[in-house]
Amino acid sequence: MTDAERARPLRIGIGGVHIECSTFTPHTTAYEDFAIRRGTGLLEMFSFTAPGAAGWARDIEWVPLVHARAIPGGSVQRAAYARLRTELLDRLHRAGPLDGVLLDLHGAMHVPGRHDIETDLASAVRDAVGPSCLISSPTDLHGNITEALVARLDLITAHRLAPHEDEWLTRERAARLLARSLREGVRPATAWVRVPVLLPGEKTSTQVEPARGLYAGIAEVEKAPGIWDAAIWVGYAWADEPRSAAAVVVTGTDETAVARQARRLAERYWALRDDFAFVGPTGTAEEVLAAATASARRPFVISDSGDNPTAGGAGDVPYLLERLLLDPAVRARGPRVIYASILDPGAVEACRRAGLGATVDLRVGGLLDPVHGTPADLAGRVTFLSGDGPAPGTAGVPTAVVTSGGVEVILTGGRAAFHRIEDFTRLGLDPRAADIVAVKIGYLEPELRALAADWMIALTPGGVDQDLHRLGHREIVRPLHPFDPGMPPPDLTPHLRPARPAPGGPGAVR
């Protein structure tokens, strides 16, 4: 860039397609399942795009493209992906010359018949903006990151916390790195390493060791001269793809240091592979229900982990619910129980037709994912309806609560997450007063963790089953831990892309 070009505001486009897809979940994700933002609504997602921003974000013109995000789920329908991809490329072509693009990706999107779909999207964006435009991507640490993807980008980074309390900090870091690269006129070196380990997120939470210490060590790596950023991906275990594995990328201007630090992180991850354990106590559905009903610590939170919709499960497998409703201690109206939730639009509509206070006899769940569960019987009284419009706190979907004995069952008309106390209280439910709160989730999000006087993870079936051996992966590259115990030590030599000057002037969008 010339002095005159450096003096003018940078033009950086923002867009992306962000979803985590389980290939073991039978249902698919449609275009309508995405929350899509454009224009001002897109820019308002980010704090650093506000007019008059100071510091590193000053003198940047942020150009909104299109941003699509969906709750984790099944594979994205081909037509839906094609439509989103086409709009993103069309908006890039119409945006005019850009210096950079902030391309928001997850790293575990899947389209039927396609592997490594984020590389396809990044390649299309690269072709659209040309070689002079720099591309930076913030990603989820549960992404499956390939060398091919890294090669199509200039910068890539990932969350450092699971649960992802740093999600928006990750996006800001990716944008900040992009601005730095443009202002300094350099494309930094990157070193990528595949680590042949694939573990579920509930074994790699940064709330506990060894992941906590592993990710805390990134800050020390970044103190080394010539290092700009370091990222570790644990991978996404419920995608049956060749790319599914852990990875490390280190970025900076000192190529020797970049390669050395990448190898050190990869070697440390490999050395810790047998130390990763579940973030909380686990058991079968029956074992967990027995522990919950016997416990004096209230509320007792149960993670219905195999069908967690925020990891890619369908959200309608009634396996745990059915056992809960049949449990002798619960049927005796002992503990007060809240169950969140079962996705069943038909059941919600039946409750609406019956009316508040009516008695209903329903068959619920088992429609999106009949592979892992069949519909369960639910008889009770309708004690909440969201009304004609969507109920706040339920992801904007129609909601009903059916009380059966001492169990208050939340039914939703669309896929929804229950991570906050507010998600319950807006439905007239107080989880703090309950004896047992069962939620379709894996590791607990912060508010649920604070709520739980005690907690267990139920190892239930579903599209995100914690027992990976039970799922039947066929496309993963072997050997891969833990599928191949006793596998020989892998080659963890980093694949280095050297640093090079950034081309002068704004990118020419073709």
Side-chain angles (χ1 to χ4, degrees), residues 141-219:
L141 65 82
H142 297 119
N144 294 315
I145 304 303
T146 63
E147 185 179 17
L149 175 61
V150 174
R152 300 304 280 167
L153 304 170
D154 298 287
L155 299 145
I156 186 169
T157 191
H159 306 332
R160 297 172 182 178
L161 295 175
H164 304 321
E165 297 170 79
D166 64 334
E167 177 180 354
W168 292 98
L169 293 176
T170 302
R171 291 185 172 94
E172 181 171 343
R173 184 169 65 253
R176 190 173 64 244
L177 289 167
L178 178 57
R180 177 182 180 181
S181 188
L182 288 166
R183 286 173 175 143
E184 295 185 13
V186 60
R187 279 186 164 108
T190 58
W192 170 87
V193 187
R194 177 184 183 269
V195 184
V197 176
L198 187 63
L199 297 170
E202 282 60 41
K203 284 190 174 182
T204 51
S205 170
T206 58
Q207 293 174 330
V208 295
E209 298 296 346
R212 179 164 56 193
L214 179 70
Y215 277 87
I218 288 177

Side-chain angles (χ1 to χ4, degrees), residues 35 120 144 194 211 220 262 324-325 334-335 344 350 412:
D120 173 79
N144 294 315
R194 177 184 183 269
E220 194 62 32
L324 185 62
L325 294 172
D344 194 320
T412 66

